[in-house]
Amino acid sequence: MKFFAVLAFCVVGAIAGPLSSDEAALVKSSWDQVKHNEVDILYAVFKAYPDIQAKFPQFVGKDLDSIKDGREFATHATRIVSFLSEVVTLSGNESNLAAVHTLVTKLGKDHKARGVTKSQFTNFRTALVSYLSSHVSWGENVAAAWNHALDNTMAIAFKQLDD
Ligand code: HEM
């Protein structure tokens, strides 16, 4: 059976291995349904986890509802969501796996330098999955594909982050 790896791989250690082509297709098609909802996605993350918002010098201590329509918020939302889009797109092709690994490793290193922890990444993941589950065609198969993809991605980032 042919495998397409999505959002990372098995070379990072004790993880489940690459996604099947079916899982890869489910991740891509569901992401396509929300990848232009940048502000909405960042809003959902900050709303669920204010300590994540508090790590941003430009947003700390500010009322979420009053910053969400601002230019800075849109800029950062676009950075995060574009990063995820890039990873999803690259991961559709096995030959890009090294590039995905490099990107996610750099993300982990850069965030460690900002004092971001593994548990904050895990909370980001929870908020993202919660957002997806209520904004895309969701079902057990889509949930399983995202879980697999995010397990793989987090395993790469976690190598750089502290608890
Ligand atoms: C979970 C807790 C997280 C916190 C507290 C956090 C915090 C930050 C902060 C403070 C910045 C710098 C913003 C600026 O200077 O304007 C940043 C940049 C960035 N973050 Fe995060 N972040 C988190 C998770 C993530 C995740 C999971 C992703 C990707 C899916 C991500 C993607 C990015 C990108 C692409 C940038 C801009 C590039 C860079 O400077 O590294 N962040 N983040």
Side-chain angles (χ1 to χ4, degrees):
M1 180 170 160
K2 182 158 188 186
F3 284 98
F4 288 94
V6 162
L7 297 176
F9 12 53
C10 48
V11 294
V12 294
I15 59 170
L19 302 200
S20 67
S21 54
D22 281 353
E23 288 175 314
L26 287 171
V27 168
K28 183 173 177 353
S29 63
S30 52
W31 184 243
D32 282 346
Q33 295 165 47
V34 293
K35 68 183 180 190
H36 297 303
N37 300 0
E38 294 92 343
V39 164
D40 232 26
I41 292 172
L42 187 60
Y43 179 88
V45 171
F46 283 4
K47 185 88 185 163
Y49 298 102
D51 65 296
I52 295 183
Q53 178 183 329
K55 281 274 198 267
F56 287 82
Q58 67 272 50
F59 304 132
V60 61
K62 297 193 178 159
D63 174 57
L64 180 56
D65 287 294
S66 61
I67 58 173
K68 83 169 189 335
D69 297 322
R71 191 186 46 81
E72 280 189 312
F73 197 86
T75 300
H76 191 65
T78 301
R79 278 192 199 141
I80 293 187
V81 172
S82 303
F83 180 90
L84 289 170
S85 290
E86 189 176 6
V87 171
V88 170
T89 302
L90 278 174
S91 302
N93 184 330
E94 238 171 324
S95 64
N96 291 328
L97 289 186
V100 173
H101 190 270
T102 302
L103 272 178
V104 179
T105 298
K106 180 173 183 333
L107 182 84
K109 276 191 188 141
D110 291 348
H111 282 73
K112 179 182 172 167
R114 299 185 174 107
V116 179
T117 60
K118 285 181 189 171
S119 77
Q120 286 178 312
F121 261 56
T122 298
N123 289 343
F124 178 99
R125 169 190 183 151
T126 302
L128 177 67
V129 169
S130 164
Y131 184 88
L132 289 166
S133 69
S134 55
H135 290 83
V136 307
S137 310
W138 194 249
E140 271 178 35
N141 55 348
V142 182
W146 273 99
N147 263 329
H148 191 176
L150 288 164
D151 278 352
N152 288 359
T153 308
M154 291 291 157
I156 299 171
F158 275 16
K159 287 186 141 188
Q160 308 304 323
L161 295 169
D162 293 326
D163 288 335

